[in-house]
Amino acid sequence: MCTHTPNCPAADSPDREAAHTIASHPEQGWSLLCNSVVVFEDTGDLLPDGQIIAPHRPLATTV
C-alpha cells in the first residue's frame, strides 16, 4: 500500500508505527497508517492480519 520512497516499515516490523498516516480520526481515537496498521490513541495497534498489539505506553518515572 505504501508508495513512499523509501518505503514505510512493514506491518510486522518492530518500527511499524513509523509509517505515514493516511487517515486520522482523533475524535474516534484511531489512525490508519499506510502499512494498513490501525493505531489507537491508547498506543495499542491492530495489524492487518487481525493481530492485536496491547497498549505500550512508557512507564511513568519518578524523580
Side-chain angles (χ1 to χ4, degrees), residues 4-61:
H4 304 97
T5 303
N7 288 343
C8 289
D12 58 355
S13 153
D15 60 345
R16 66 183 144 259
E17 293 177 5
H20 290 228
T21 301
I22 59 172
S24 179
H25 295 278
E27 72 283 358
Q28 296 176 358
W30 63 273
S31 295
L32 175 64
L33 305 180
C34 69
N35 57 5
S36 300
V37 173
V38 177
V39 179
F40 295 95
E41 68 181 14
D42 70 354
T43 70
D45 299 338
L46 179 61
L47 303 185
D49 65 0
Q51 182 181 357
I52 298 168
I53 306 297
H56 44 277
R57 294 181 188 200
L59 297 174
T61 58

